[in-house]
Amino acid sequence: MTKREPAKLLRRLRPAKEPGKLHQALDGIRVLGPRKSWQVALSTATHAYWDWRYPAPRPTWDAPGSTPGCLLARDECPDGFNARFERADLEVRFLAADLLRVTWHPGLDPVPYAIERHDWAGTAPEAAELAVDLSDDGALAFTTNDGRLLRRDSPPQRHGDGWHHGAALHDGERVHGLGERALPFDLRGHSVEIWNRGPGGRYGPGVDPLYLCVPVYVGLHDEGSYLVFYENSHRARLSFEDDLDARFDGGALRYYVVPGPVPRALERFTELTGRPFLPPKWVLGYHQSRWGYCSAQEVRDVVDGFERHDLPLDAIELDIEYMDEYRDFTVDDEDFPDMQGLSSELEAKGIRLTMIVDAGVHRKRGYRVYDEGHAQGRFCRLPNGREMRGVVWPGWAAFPDITDPDTRRWWGGQYQALLDAGADGFWHDMNEPTTFSLGGEDWPPLMTRHAMDGRGGSHAEAHNLYALLMARAAFEGLRRLRPHRRPWLFSRSGWAGLQRYAWNWTGDTVSTWPTLHQTVSTVLGLSLSGLGFTGPDIGGYQGDPSPELYVRWFELATFLPLFRTHCAYDNPPREPWAAAKGLTDAVRAHLRLRRRLMPYLYTTAWQATQTGWPPIRPLFWEDEADQRLARVDDAFFLGDHLLVAPVLTEGAQSRRVVLPKGTWYPLDGGESIEGGGVIEVAAPVDHTPVFVRSGAAIPMDEDGELKLHAYGAPAHGVLYSDAGDGYGLWRVDRFTVSDRGALETSGEGDYPSAGAQLHLHR
Ligand code: MIG
């Protein structure tokens, strides 16, 4: 069996420095081969034809919009009110004292895919934390009970099927979130699109949109802070250039308002859209990946390299080359003759195996998944009833209608084949969904039909939801197929609520210093969108990072939830000893540090399941009033107690750190430092400045022994522990170190206690 494997054919080709469109197109043809390139050309043309044949309704942004008109009637109800206007209807509901839902009609209500909790008791407006003031023209003002104006919304305007929503922003108001962005941390002055799509190759700072857009943001200004979530999955543009200007292409205009401070608002938002799940513990270890581990032997060689260089390894990811002809849920048994055996071999060394799954299913008779899906009517259809097709890696592909509950169940069942092959985790890619295109739209035609759980709808509404529902299908499938193990998957695309089912990674970045710096803002933005479990391809996806750049990227990722090296097929070797040539010691030191921090990281992940708080937090997290912390985009908190100041510039031997008020200790010991100012700290290439809040006790794993490092006394700390997987016993230990240095522990839960040894830093 011959197959076209870009990784095998092209691994010696170096990427061009700055490829233009033509270069990218030629590159694409070279990678895909003439046959699939021809299919892409054909697919581009038929996509254009379907768009012409079945045009999607378009909002009339150029024509004047229609305002609600005058208020005709207002009816109070126990938890809010309804208001009728000449040309629109408004519904305002307090789901809780600090959770307000506003809905403007006309337009279809969303199918509540983002929503986890539905059974809100409701709160009487008088008992709420916000006052809502409705004007006769439909303007709304949201004020706290002590009279602070959080947000003032203009009357919305209807443009055909679209809604235009404006809100006044305060002077100096800062805006963060909106899912995955390659924009500055503060999005004020910027405009973002809500439409999940790949950047078509690789991206660096400034590219928008990306794979995972979420219409949620936090706003902070002199009078307070708040969170707003638009529960509307249509294509949208939100501009914060001046005041907020938001345009949604369809649907009802529904949004939620939650008053700050930000940690509390995120707690509420994740109560509404769901808390993250607790991953198996190994997931918090180090993952090695590359597009182009093409055979079992190659995987073994990589593992040997880690052993030879004395570098701990926790997981290997298999990209599309493990599949047979890029067909989902198959294994190439020539190059991976005994995948299950390979998996057991790795497991014996404590290394897990995860496998990629793409959204598109090869349309090929005789391929079980396609035949079954086709016979059962599982794939998306065009308005004329024919199966929608697009070209992706295997060639012509069909796309499961993942908005149909039966299809989700069917899809979830497919993971059995990969579990049988020894997969421990999964990786969802191309799930925006992306279809290849020659300069056209690289997504399915907008009028592609979707079940939308029985309500019916088109791809215009389903597109942004696709990856969320694919993750849901997989997560729920894995719960059924392997009930005694905790599922883990990470996904390129998603929407609000993805945290219930999947982690994320930040996709195909270009290997440059500005992109390394960008990573911090991107991760913070995702975190403030409820999606805290993410991380970058260490070294950047595409390019040839210098050893220094690779090492600094590695150091940053040491302190992020997903700790993984990955790169494209045509890059030079990206195993740490090759990529960090001459600096492997720095990599080893950080791998060991990650292992030491494991109890703290695992506890932080568990905390997220309880509170929705992201592991990675902006410096203003606990002090929204301190202007010096407001826009810091080169440092962050990891969990409750660590402040990480990664080095993000070339050639640095030291860096500036804005320290919040209070006393801080260097993580690795040494004199305490008074915060509230800016300090310059040494940061040679093998060192990342990390500070611990005074009064914190950090549980660490030191060669299998649990050590509690208390920084100053008195100190407090928490440790969550369990078997590392499954749904069995657990325990939570709360540590108190008295000012005399005596340790007291109060435990909850039945998992056996490890018994911590105290190490006191004074
Ligand atoms: O069209 O599976 O972002 O991580 O290596 C590229 C091959 C498809 C994109 C992913 C990248 C992965 C690659 N994929």
Side-chain angles (χ1 to χ4, degrees), residues 153-354:
D153 295 359
S154 321
Q157 291 173 29
R158 189 86 173 140
H159 292 252
D161 280 354
W163 278 108
H164 176 197
H165 197 214
L169 298 182
H170 285 61
D171 275 348
E173 180 165 344
R174 293 163 277 137
V175 169
H176 311 285
L178 293 148
E180 179 182 36
R181 300 291 158 188
L183 296 170
F185 176 46
D186 181 3
L187 295 167
R188 190 71 190 278
H190 294 267
S191 159
V192 304
E193 196 177 342
I194 306 281
W195 191 248
N196 292 343
R197 63 176 302 203
R202 64 199 77 174
Y203 76 90
V207 173
D208 193 85
L210 294 172
Y211 319 91
L212 201 178
C213 305
V214 191
V216 63
Y217 73 88
V218 293
L220 297 97
H221 52 67
D222 292 347
E223 293 191 59
S225 61
Y226 63 93
L227 177 148
V228 165
F229 166 48
Y230 286 96
E231 192 193 356
N232 182 314
S233 65
H234 287 81
R235 190 170 182 161
R237 177 163 282 286
L238 277 73
S239 163
F240 301 91
E241 271 154 31
D242 217 335
D243 285 335
L244 166 66
D245 178 298
R247 287 155 196 245
F248 293 87
D249 278 9
L253 180 65
R254 165 169 291 176
Y255 59 104
Y256 300 79
V257 182
V258 189
V262 170
R264 249 197 62 188
L266 273 177
E267 203 167 329
R268 250 318 179 219
F269 174 62
T270 53
E271 192 179 349
L272 179 70
T273 60
R275 299 268 154 80
F277 59 93
L278 187 66
K281 197 171 183 183
W282 61 264
V283 170
L284 289 166
Y286 173 71
H287 306 230
Q288 178 67 34
S289 177
R290 132 172 227 116
W291 179 5
Y293 292 150
C294 294
S295 68
Q297 193 46 52
E298 240 176 283
V299 170
R300 289 193 183 97
D301 291 346
V302 170
V303 169
D304 286 350
F306 274 84
E307 282 174 359
R308 219 175 34 250
H309 291 90
D310 187 23
L311 301 169
L313 174 65
D314 300 281
I316 292 240
E317 254 98 63
L318 294 181
D319 205 322
I320 52 176
E321 305 302 329
Y322 82 86
M323 297 183 203
D324 179 23
E325 310 259 4
Y326 304 136
R327 291 179 189 151
D328 280 336
F329 309 114
T330 67
V331 170
D332 178 341
D333 51 18
E334 246 175 53
D335 292 324
F336 293 89
D338 176 15
M339 189 68 102
Q340 162 72 66
L342 176 67
S343 166
S344 315
E345 202 180 303
L346 296 186
E347 192 170 346
K349 300 175 187 247
I351 301 166
R352 312 300 161 124
L353 200 55
T354 81

Side-chain angles (χ1 to χ4, degrees), residues 291 319-320 356 393 427 429-430 436 492 505 507-508 537 541 564 566:
W291 179 5
D319 205 322
I320 52 176
I356 199 168
W393 291 111
W427 170 15
D429 191 20
M430 302 291 281
F436 293 150
R492 191 166 74 169
W505 92 105
D508 301 349
D537 289 352
Y541 177 69
R564 179 179 93 128
H566 177 63

Side-chain angles (χ1 to χ4, degrees), residues 277-471:
F277 59 93
L278 187 66
K281 197 171 183 183
W282 61 264
V283 170
L284 289 166
Y286 173 71
H287 306 230
Q288 178 67 34
S289 177
R290 132 172 227 116
W291 179 5
Y293 292 150
C294 294
S295 68
Q297 193 46 52
E298 240 176 283
V299 170
R300 289 193 183 97
D301 291 346
V302 170
V303 169
D304 286 350
F306 274 84
E307 282 174 359
R308 219 175 34 250
H309 291 90
D310 187 23
L311 301 169
L313 174 65
D314 300 281
I316 292 240
E317 254 98 63
L318 294 181
D319 205 322
I320 52 176
E321 305 302 329
Y322 82 86
M323 297 183 203
D324 179 23
E325 310 259 4
Y326 304 136
R327 291 179 189 151
D328 280 336
F329 309 114
T330 67
V331 170
D332 178 341
D333 51 18
E334 246 175 53
D335 292 324
F336 293 89
D338 176 15
M339 189 68 102
Q340 162 72 66
L342 176 67
S343 166
S344 315
E345 202 180 303
L346 296 186
E347 192 170 346
K349 300 175 187 247
I351 301 166
R352 312 300 161 124
L353 200 55
T354 81
M355 300 184 195
I356 199 168
V357 175
D358 281 6
V361 172
H362 193 193
R363 293 182 92 232
K364 185 80 184 170
R365 300 281 165 180
Y367 160 41
R368 185 190 55 79
V369 179
Y370 178 70
D371 285 348
E372 214 178 279
H374 179 73
Q376 298 177 15
R378 298 278 167 240
F379 298 116
C380 293
R381 293 174 185 282
L382 291 162
N384 66 359
R386 290 179 52 186
E387 224 165 73
M388 189 279 289
R389 52 182 204 165
V391 180
V392 277
W393 291 111
W396 287 110
F399 293 79
D401 183 5
I402 210 74
T403 70
D404 174 56
D406 295 331
T407 298
R408 282 199 294 278
R409 210 183 152 80
W410 170 74
W411 184 261
Q414 301 305 323
Y415 291 75
Q416 185 65 56
L418 299 182
L419 290 177
D420 291 344
D424 296 291
F426 300 91
W427 170 15
H428 282 182
D429 191 20
M430 302 291 281
N431 53 349
E432 292 72 28
T434 294
T435 58
F436 293 150
S437 172
L438 269 182
E441 297 180 338
D442 51 0
W443 54 82
L446 289 186
M447 289 311 278
T448 299
R449 308 317 303 163
H450 283 275
M452 299 299 284
D453 278 58
R455 184 278 252 129
S458 75
H459 199 68
E461 184 183 11
H463 181 78
N464 284 330
L465 300 165
Y466 197 91
L468 168 70
L469 294 172
M470 184 172 155

